Amino acid sequence: MQVIFVTWRNKRRMFEFSGGNTRTSFLYNLIKYVLKPENIVEYNLDDLETLTLRGIAGLAHLLNTLSPSMSIFLREVRFQYINCNKIIRYVQSSDKDIVIILDHIRSVIMISKCLEDLLRYRLKFIHISHDYSGEFPYTTRMLSPLNKKALNILSKIDPITIVVSLRDKILYEENAKLSKVIVFPNIYPPVNEAFKPIRLPISKNNDELKIVIVKPIIDKKYAENIIKIVKMLQKYSEYSITMEIITSLKNSYVNNIVNINKETSEKVKIKISDNIPDRIEYIKHLSQNHLGLIELYGGRSSGSNVRRYDYAIASVVPASYHLNVQGESLPHELAFLDIPDLISKIVQLTPNELHKYGIENMIHAYQLYEKHLNNIINELSKIKY
């Protein structure tokens, strides 16, 4: 058996610190572990790029400020304009059974140009889904044809689709009429070579409240909400607090947060840290905290958040705007309506209580992981020609 892996990301984006990359990397490695292919070929967007695609991407960038809706349209449409010749030539030259792994719905769109050619061969497909609403942002009239196209391609190739939640499973089965949809939530603990989870030691100082925020890029609105939280905690919390912000980009908004620390350092200390690429060290680092903040406003209509489960496996209680609490349930998480509601919930909990709740979350997350790991291994093992 041979594997072809196709991703919509270019080389640079494949190494970004993001939940999407965490999911892709983990599931791709798990699939390879189960299938044990003799040979693997990988194609990213740079490998399949055309001048047309590059031109559309450039135009989308120029229109980002002038016409955001047109920019979004062009950013999504461009994935249709790749050169499939490398994939077709590889399939034609192989005398082995082939499984094609498609990362995200954008990679499904990428094979649209060569779909009919690929369907001439006895190929198996696996689609790594990230979030139904995130993968199908094509709800506007302008993008609805792309929505239909993607669903039509999925119906034709009938892949094993790996989704993040039971809700996403229902959405894919109803809208694309797929027959093989497996739930694997965004739970990625440190694992050994056989993907069995490794429990890391937990060390917390319960004399103070430790809050962590993992946010690769902080925008103006998010920064303003953090500043509100810091000021209210300074006023209403009984405990000394350390708030750590782990981010990829130390922009002016992050600097504004740091400046607030000069006013609040008596009770709330702010620490800015770089991303931690090593997964084990990252989870160990998170486990020093009691509470982890996720989204502070807005909402998601599907899927689940990688950070939410990263916090859980690190024995941290997640806190998120109520519309963002999606996916498999956790025993303890703070869902809030607004910043005052969040503060009211934080100040009613002690570090010791949050420590206890975090341990319960961790145990539950590991149990969920092992359950879904067994399911996905069983389903992938059934791939036969």
Side-chain angles (χ1 to χ4, degrees), residues 187 198-202 283 287 309 311-316 330-332 355-369:
I187 304 173
I198 299 169
R199 301 280 181 107
L200 300 175
I202 297 166
I283 298 299
S287 70
Y309 294 112
Y311 290 153
I313 61 177
S315 73
V316 176
L330 291 169
H332 305 283
H355 188 163
K356 174 178 175 289
Y357 296 156
I359 297 291
E360 292 174 11
N361 276 350
M362 182 189 69
I363 292 169
H364 183 76
Y366 272 96
Q367 289 172 342
L368 273 179
Y369 171 80

